Amino acid sequence: MSNIIIPKSLNPSPDIKKGIDEFLADFDVYEIASGSKLVLNYDEKSDAYYLTCHLKGKQIVESCDLEATLDPDDDDDVLYKLNREIIEDQLAYKEMENDAKNGRSFEDLVVEYDKSYRPDQPLKVYGGQHRIRAISISEKKLDIVNHGVRLYFNLSRDQKVEIATVNNTSIAVPNDLLDRMRE
């Protein structure tokens, strides 16, 4: 925990601290490798602790679980998947792939560090699955480009639902507005 700044107003549980220690032992965090520290953040609305940091694309692709579920103990028939379906045939996604191939650094990939199921993929994705898929095809850039991650720890079922819902709610953007933005 020597690489983490915990504001005096916060009092994370031992489970949160343990998760942070495990994460730092498993991952090469850009900020820490650069001599900085991370600040533990607290989301009052969801009552959840998180870190923001940057990881190489390769670590993200190898460690992310795009099939994160609300309750891994449920039958496969009733699993509540915490992500939208990935739609790869949209123009915006194709542009995202091209951006990734050209070294774009994506931000605010929303994950929970959770080894309780599929421990080889401890980053359970709650937001950013399209960006992660795009990163995965940027083979030449995987070891070069860092991407921003908002990393939660020890979430309850209700917290998972809220965070996944917030991060997978789309606002419809009219095509004419998209056209004007592209101009």
Side-chain angles (χ1 to χ4, degrees):
M1 294 293 291
S2 64
N3 292 315
I4 306 295
I5 297 170
I6 301 176
K8 292 177 182 165
S9 61
L10 300 183
N11 188 22
S13 71
D15 287 340
I16 300 286
K17 291 178 181 178
K18 179 181 177 204
I20 292 170
D21 284 339
E22 288 178 9
F23 168 75
L24 293 176
D26 290 347
F27 288 87
D28 298 320
V29 177
Y30 172 76
E31 289 82 356
I32 292 173
S34 299
S36 296
K37 293 185 177 196
L38 300 177
V39 176
L40 185 64
N41 297 287
Y42 177 70
D43 178 347
E44 289 186 38
K45 169 67 173 81
S46 61
D47 188 30
Y49 289 93
Y50 67 95
L51 297 172
T52 55
C53 64
H54 290 81
L55 301 172
K56 294 279 186 223
K58 183 175 183 173
Q59 285 187 303
I60 291 169
V61 169
E62 290 175 352
S63 302
C64 277
D65 183 353
L66 295 174
E67 300 296 324
T69 63
L70 183 57
D71 189 348
D73 294 329
D74 284 344
D75 293 334
D76 285 343
D77 297 345
V78 295
L79 281 178
Y80 179 80
K81 190 175 172 216
L82 292 169
N83 289 299
R84 291 179 291 148
E85 294 299 318
I86 293 180
I87 302 170
E88 295 181 351
D89 63 347
Q90 295 287 325
L91 177 61
Y93 177 75
K94 294 294 184 194
E95 289 177 5
M96 192 181 298
E97 281 186 341
N98 286 331
D99 286 349
K101 287 178 184 175
N102 288 310
R104 164 86 64 216
S105 175
F106 294 106
E107 295 295 321
D108 207 26
L109 305 172
V110 180
V111 302
E112 177 187 15
Y113 182 77
D114 180 357
K115 287 182 142 182
S116 67
Y117 67 103
R118 292 192 290 272
D120 58 321
Q121 295 177 307
L123 301 181
K124 308 306 182 202
V125 179
Y126 300 152
Q129 61 271 19
H130 285 85
R131 286 169 278 159
I132 292 167
R133 178 67 61 90
I135 291 166
S136 74
I137 59 100
S138 66
E139 297 155 0
K140 294 179 182 175
K141 302 292 183 179
L142 284 175
D143 283 328
I144 300 169
V145 179
N146 289 297
H147 302 279
V149 177
R150 186 170 8 128
L151 183 74
Y152 289 90
F153 296 91
N154 201 33
L155 295 176
S156 70
R157 182 182 179 101
D158 289 342
Q159 289 169 319
K160 289 177 186 185
V161 170
E162 181 187 20
I163 290 167
T165 300
V166 166
N167 285 286
N168 286 290
T169 301
S170 297
I171 299 173
V173 179
N175 286 335
D176 62 332
L177 176 57
L178 287 173
D179 291 340
R180 285 195 307 261
M181 289 168 50
R182 288 187 185 112
E183 290 174 4

